[in-house]
Amino acid sequence: MSDKPVKIRGRAKNGVAEIKCLMPHPMETGTRKDADGAFIPAHYIETVVCKHNGKEVMTAEWGASVSKDPYFAFTVRNAQPGDIIEVSWTDNQGQSSSGELVLK
Amino acid sequence: MTMKRSRRWFLRAAVTAAALVTLPVRVLARATAAFKAKDTDSLMRELFGDMPIEASDAITLKVPDIAENGAVVPVTVSTDIEGVQQICVVVDNNPNPLSAIFNLSEHCVADVSTRIKIGDSSITRALVKTSDRVYMTMKEVKVTIGGCGG
């Protein structure tokens, strides 16, 4: 049940690393209708977990009002080149995906 | 007999495995009621209870004054306030005003960016929670439908 991977970019600089990610996902609100007038079921990312060298540094809880294919940027302290950043998400339909980055 | 025992063992193992898989999701304890709230007041009560909420200049909420496409509005919240535990983004006029909550540990800088949907011109709020109080800053975003200006 894994969707497209999370795309992550980032670089360690002066001990901090700004991480940017893109998560391909439809982010349906559940209020839109299809061509036949039937509601398209809600389908959105609920939780995002960010890990730095395996340690959880941030979690995010999202509603359906985060844009389609969410962009998310955050900054991690005490980051050195070679550190591993992992970002994973779970949506309201139980699907999940993740992505990993080795900092330069 | 051997067959029966192995089947029971299998079932028990399956249940344990299922419990282990669902455990991390429960630990996160999503603020479901706050996300379902239909107005800003009730979601703030849901999220912060009786904690004092005060307006603050120490939060930078970066959103465009005029968003041409309400489906993709870039938002950045950053602050110098010490001991930030949580950053919330709220859009008053959305059907469910709460957009996002970021739970920060001390290993992260209080600076997050994302992109949200804004259905109609609305006040957008950034709320920053520390251990004893909540700081808030607001900004109005106008959404032009059609996006051609004029």
Side-chain angles (χ1 to χ4, degrees):
Chain A
M1 288 281 273
S2 175
D3 270 50
K4 289 178 189 162
V6 178
K7 288 181 202 160
I8 314 181
R9 296 283 178 274
R11 189 178 283 270
K13 200 177 169 188
N14 303 330
V16 295
E18 194 186 351
I19 314 293
K20 296 173 179 174
C21 16
L22 273 175
M23 312 172 196
H25 197 281
M27 297 301 281
E28 279 296 343
T29 56
T31 57
R32 290 202 318 148
K33 292 176 179 175
D34 63 15
D36 303 324
F39 282 110
I40 302 170
H43 187 199
Y44 56 93
I45 294 175
E46 284 192 327
T47 44
V48 180
V49 177
C50 310
K51 288 181 180 169
H52 175 209
N53 286 340
K55 190 169 62 181
E56 208 171 281
V57 290
M58 156 135 38
T59 63
E61 300 164 61
W62 287 352
S65 58
V66 172
S67 300
K68 184 185 171 190
D69 300 333
Y71 165 79
F72 176 32
F74 60 100
T75 306
V76 179
R77 290 186 214 271
N78 304 326
Q80 304 301 330
D83 287 2
I84 295 166
I85 303 287
E86 192 200 341
V87 176
S88 56
W89 56 256
T90 311
D91 69 21
N92 66 325
Q93 296 186 0
Q95 294 172 350
S96 60
S97 181
S98 65
E100 212 177 71
L101 168 78
V102 179
L103 287 176
K104 279 183 199 139
Chain B
M1 193 64 189
T2 328
M3 280 287 284
K4 264 187 187 165
R5 194 176 296 157
S6 72
R7 189 165 103 172
R8 186 168 299 164
W9 176 87
F10 173 75
L11 281 171
R12 196 172 292 154
V15 168
T16 315
L20 281 176
V21 168
T22 52
L23 195 67
V25 181
R26 271 188 214 145
V27 168
L28 284 170
R30 184 178 159 80
T32 312
F35 275 103
K36 285 192 176 144
K38 303 269 187 230
D39 62 273
T40 306
D41 285 345
S42 58
L43 90 82
M44 291 209 280
R45 246 194 330 272
E46 202 64 59
L47 280 179
F48 307 121
D50 295 332
M51 284 175 85
I53 297 175
E54 65 180 56
S56 169
D57 302 334
I59 308 168
T60 312
L61 168 63
K62 225 190 284 174
V63 279
D65 295 321
I66 298 173
E68 288 190 4
N69 181 2
V72 187
V73 183
V75 182
T76 299
V77 183
S78 59
T79 179
D80 295 329
I81 295 168
E82 293 287 318
V84 176
Q85 295 177 344
Q86 211 171 52
I87 293 177
C88 305
V89 179
V90 174
V91 182
D92 282 14
N93 292 354
N94 272 2
N96 300 113
L98 182 56
S99 259
I101 302 178
F102 302 94
N103 300 303
L104 277 72
S105 70
E106 68 276 18
H107 305 289
C108 275
V109 180
D111 183 347
V112 290
S113 305
T114 186
R115 293 197 283 235
I116 59 169
K117 299 170 200 164
I118 299 182
D120 205 351
S121 298
S122 172
I123 297 281
T124 304
R125 295 165 197 254
L127 296 143
V128 171
K129 184 186 163 193
T130 62
S131 58
D132 59 347
R133 59 184 61 233
V134 179
Y135 299 93
M136 178 171 75
T137 189
M138 297 193 272
K139 197 173 169 193
E140 191 177 3
V141 178
K142 286 198 167 66
V143 177
T144 51
I145 297 164
C148 295

